[in-house]
Amino acid sequence: MAKISEKDNTDLENRYKDTIDLPETSFPMRGNGPVREPEFQTKWKEEDIYHKGLELRAKEGADSFVLHDGPPYLSSERIHIGTALNKILKDIIIKYKTQRGFRVPYIPGYDSHGLPIENAVVKAIKGGRQAVTVPELRDKCRDFALNNLKGQEAKFKRLGILGEWDKPYVTLDPKFEAEQIKLFGEMAAKGYIYRGLKTVYWSYGAETALADAEVEYNDNHVSSAIHVKFPITELPSSCPQELQGACFVIWTTTPWTIPGNMAICLGENIDYIVAEDSGEKIVVAEALLEQVNKASEREFKASGSSFKGKDLKGIVCKHPLFDRPSPIIFGDHVTTDAGTGCVHTAPGHGQEDFMVGKEFGLEILCPVDGRGVYTSEANSYEFKSTEALEIAKSKNQSLEAKLNNLEFNGGELNFQGFHVIKQGNDLLISALKDSGALLALKKLTHSYPYCWRSKTPLLYRATEQWFASVDGFREQALTEIDKVNWIPERGRNRIYTMIQDRGDWCISRQRTWGVPIPAIYDMEDINEQGNPKAILETEIIEHVAKIFAEEGSSSWYTKPIEELLPESFKLSLRGAKGDVAISERFRIETDTMDVWFDSGSTHRTVVEARAEEFGAKLPVDLYLEGSDQHRGWFQSSLLTSVACNGFAPYQSVLTHGFVVDEKGHKMSKSLGNVVDPDDVIKKFGADILRLWVASVDYSVEIKVGDNMFKQLSDIYRNFRNTSRYMLGNLHGFNPETDKVAYKDLWSLDKLILHRLQSLQEKLTEAFDNYQFFKYYQLIQNFCSVDLSAFYFDIIKDRLYTHGTKSLSRRAAQTVLAELLSAINRLLVPVLPHLAEDVYSHSPETIKASYQGTQFFMKEGEGSILLSNWPEVNKDYVNGELANQWDKILEIREAANKEIETIRAEKVVGKSLEASLEIKAPAASIELLKSIEAELNAVMIVSEVNLIEAEKLAIKASKFDGHKCVRCWKYFKEVNKGICQTCTDAVSS
RNA sequence: GGGUCUUUAGCUCAGUUGGUUAGAGCGCACGCUUGAUAAGCGUGAGGUCCGGUGUUCAAGUCACCGAAGACCCA
């Protein structure tokens, strides 16, 4: 046969072009998520897919799976990338569990009360807090919160999350508030709520006590560290008499607390020593004498031997400024790490001081008010000269202004009215200098607690607060912790030790924007401290709850107290004291509850209160939040639940780490490394953000950055093109009539069906264990390696050239239909928009073949989100076949290398131009012969010669023959330019 | 300062009870293809397993010390 010229060849090719079956689909190659995702979301909303899903499962009598949403705080209308991660994780689980046949309600929640919102609102009020009434301020806070809710809701919806968006839970909801105070009442009735004097962190900037969680530490705080001498005034005969005339030296970094000094605390087993310099005698811990000398630039020399702290019992010193005793006491918290071993003890200004003060019966003096200003109890000091004061004035303008204002020029000065931080430190230092008690003064940079909102240093203040007594149910809580499945396991230890070591829970806040503590005070019943008696009674709370449920908790501040009290209570008063003027005798508590109590009560206020919707009882299946919530929501929820119900509100708790930048550093505005989920969505779409969530191991820190999104986009495109290939080649395929029986499939086809089952099995396991990154790795590998680079590449020949209705083409399509149906559904939890896109472009005949329940499969309706998770088809599992193929694929890989060699030598271009000679041991040859009919296709070459040999040796060469212009394979002979198979295909 | 944890290729992840030459996908480089075409295929190059010391015949894996980072606490 004569050689066919290039031109003739092209002509022939064009003639046969119409006879091949090329892919055909309207499914776009590019996702264009930023634009198209909202369209799918609109469809989901219009068709109410969320409720349809619930109905569907309800009809099936399905079990519920309840993931109870932790409420994000409504401080902003924007969301943080960490919040996006959290919500996406939840949604992935919800979508997966729904597919697995559970009824999965999702009620999103919002945390609306508290200091940050109140501060933000006050900041925006002209004239500040004083310019508005309490109800006005609360209304503004409410508006602010609800406005942010709208913003956050839109962001969450844009992530592709389905849920009860029209009926979320919000902590400011009147019914929520009513349930919350009832829960509080229940705890009170059980005796877990008490009012007590305690030192709490106090922010003078925000004028409130702070929860531990609200405290920040500033590592660069500069303090004036002072050494102060306390002269001994009483020395019992049982003590070493060499102490006669000596001074104890204390060290403190908070000079302003000196007016609160009530004692000096020593360690019983610490060694103390008397040291002398220029006739001056001091007592300090032996181990710290050198440091004292260094700080004071003196040379105190130890005189005599040391003695234990316990030998100094009974000694009394004099306060360095006031005519007041400061006795020696003892505590375990005293160390010789720093200071002098003699601890300045102001029970009104420190946690340990408070404890030890109570133990030794000291007065809990706290001469500082809420603004951080000394009260009248702070005492006065008579300056001997103005010298020290002048120095202080020159360094502290605020102090100077204050003193000038007082027109103080020496003599007695009352500390009342001075701000402890702004003026007190310098004022006290000057007074101590003046009295001669100051031994040393140094600047010290160290870590110091700060207020998270007002960024001011915190004080310790002894105040009256409401507490939940954790002691009352600690053991029960610890027992319950061990019944919970903590994921990862270390979460158990984290919360266990926290609960074990924590103190009582201070639940009162001196703020306006929160749920009021429903207590009242009897102004005619005054206690020892001069405070009116607090009344906390179930009947009052029940009554108030009814009012709150109807009118919201602001009614606490707007209604006259008569209306807040139930008739029964008023009647009981009448019985005792006759008719009384209630409004004169009683006052409402103005403190609000810690917001952690709000969110910590959602098991009652949401899960139980909306039990019908959830269709499940406590404990719920899952709580899922960031690891910081071990101290926050997990804990507050556990405490209230154990206190009232006796068990934990959750069966499982899943925690994720924090999102950090690509280098592993935390995000901050100042570093400029903040990733805004909005930007990601605008640039890449929500599916890419979701894919990011699925791709990382969220149990530790989670990195995020542009490089990652670029990579994720590549993977996404791979999924998309894989789907597009399947859709294109299933054009015109109707499983009902065209499906090929398993026995008639090619061996290769069976292999892929087997691998698909194996993939499904692994993905199911990954999801059941919440290990989404495994899903990401596995499905990516499958699409890229098994399908794109292998199966799809091989079956092109069959699909395009074997004839539309040929058995071999139908066999490949049968497998493609299985693959599409499965992969489409496997994409749902992570990439719902892509999955919906694929589904909406699927031929109706294919859609109908999907497993699962589609009760609205009418044209243009229905959603892939309502499909079932693909089940493993045991008929497709064929381990033996898979093992055989493993060996075949090893040979294929070796063959590819040989072809690459001759390709590099420009002998061949595409592999179809090549012929393979495979020499291999008998077993391998037998194996290859078992698939002889498909061997050329599998290797994507035009000829394979098998030769038995001892060792594997493959040779690739150019096939010497003619190219079939239709199927592009090479043959010894072609007829009219095409091969025999093509001739048959064309004729049929 | 204390508690809990992390650190393996440019990125995301694997690496069984310590056991040959530490794997995968993506990305990258080079080539092929132009019948998945703003696609697809092949081949290849990438690693002081955070550092140090030790235990051991043998350490990415075990122990100790340290570094960097994260969360929580003080």
Side-chain angles (χ1 to χ4, degrees), chain A residues 120 175 213 423 644 982:
Chain A
K175 290 193 174 63
Q423 297 136 4
C644 290
C982 283

mmCIF file of all heavy atoms in Angstrom, chain A residues 120 175 213 423 644 982:
data_model
loop_
_atom_site.group_PDB
_atom_site.id
_atom_site.type_symbol
_atom_site.label_atom_id
_atom_site.label_comp_id
_atom_site.label_asym_id
_atom_site.label_seq_id
_atom_site.Cartn_x
_atom_site.Cartn_y
_atom_site.Cartn_z
ATOM 1 N N ALA A 120 -18.185 49.247 73.314
ATOM 2 C CA ALA A 120 -18.248 49.779 71.949
ATOM 3 C C ALA A 120 -19.401 50.763 71.821
ATOM 4 O O ALA A 120 -19.274 51.804 71.174
ATOM 5 C CB ALA A 120 -18.413 48.629 70.953
ATOM 6 N N LYS A 175 -37.113 34.967 75.857
ATOM 7 C CA LYS A 175 -37.364 33.606 76.347
ATOM 8 C C LYS A 175 -36.078 32.952 76.824
ATOM 9 O O LYS A 175 -36.072 32.185 77.787
ATOM 10 C CB LYS A 175 -38.016 32.768 75.242
ATOM 11 C CG LYS A 175 -39.437 33.220 74.973
ATOM 12 C CD LYS A 175 -40.198 32.219 74.130
ATOM 13 C CE LYS A 175 -41.658 32.617 74.002
ATOM 14 N NZ LYS A 175 -41.845 33.918 73.311
ATOM 15 N N ALA A 213 -10.914 34.863 82.622
ATOM 16 C CA ALA A 213 -10.783 34.756 81.165
ATOM 17 C C ALA A 213 -10.618 36.112 80.497
ATOM 18 O O ALA A 213 -10.184 36.201 79.368
ATOM 19 C CB ALA A 213 -11.993 34.032 80.591
ATOM 20 N N GLN A 423 -1.646 58.285 90.423
ATOM 21 C CA GLN A 423 -0.957 59.139 91.383
ATOM 22 C C GLN A 423 -0.453 58.379 92.597
ATOM 23 O O GLN A 423 0.569 58.728 93.182
ATOM 24 C CB GLN A 423 -1.923 60.238 91.854
ATOM 25 C CG GLN A 423 -2.370 61.154 90.731
ATOM 26 C CD GLN A 423 -3.873 61.445 90.754
ATOM 27 O OE1 GLN A 423 -4.589 61.008 91.662
ATOM 28 N NE2 GLN A 423 -4.357 62.171 89.756
ATOM 29 N N CYS A 644 -27.314 21.501 87.841
ATOM 30 C CA CYS A 644 -28.769 21.361 87.774
ATOM 31 C C CYS A 644 -29.248 19.985 87.339
ATOM 32 O O CYS A 644 -30.233 19.476 87.844
ATOM 33 C CB CYS A 644 -29.354 22.408 86.841
ATOM 34 S SG CYS A 644 -29.232 24.053 87.519
ATOM 35 N N CYS A 982 -12.291 0.356 13.589
ATOM 36 C CA CYS A 982 -12.948 1.605 13.221
ATOM 37 C C CYS A 982 -13.895 1.386 12.037
ATOM 38 O O CYS A 982 -14.966 1.999 11.971
ATOM 39 C CB CYS A 982 -11.909 2.670 12.866
ATOM 40 S SG CYS A 982 -11.142 3.365 14.340
#
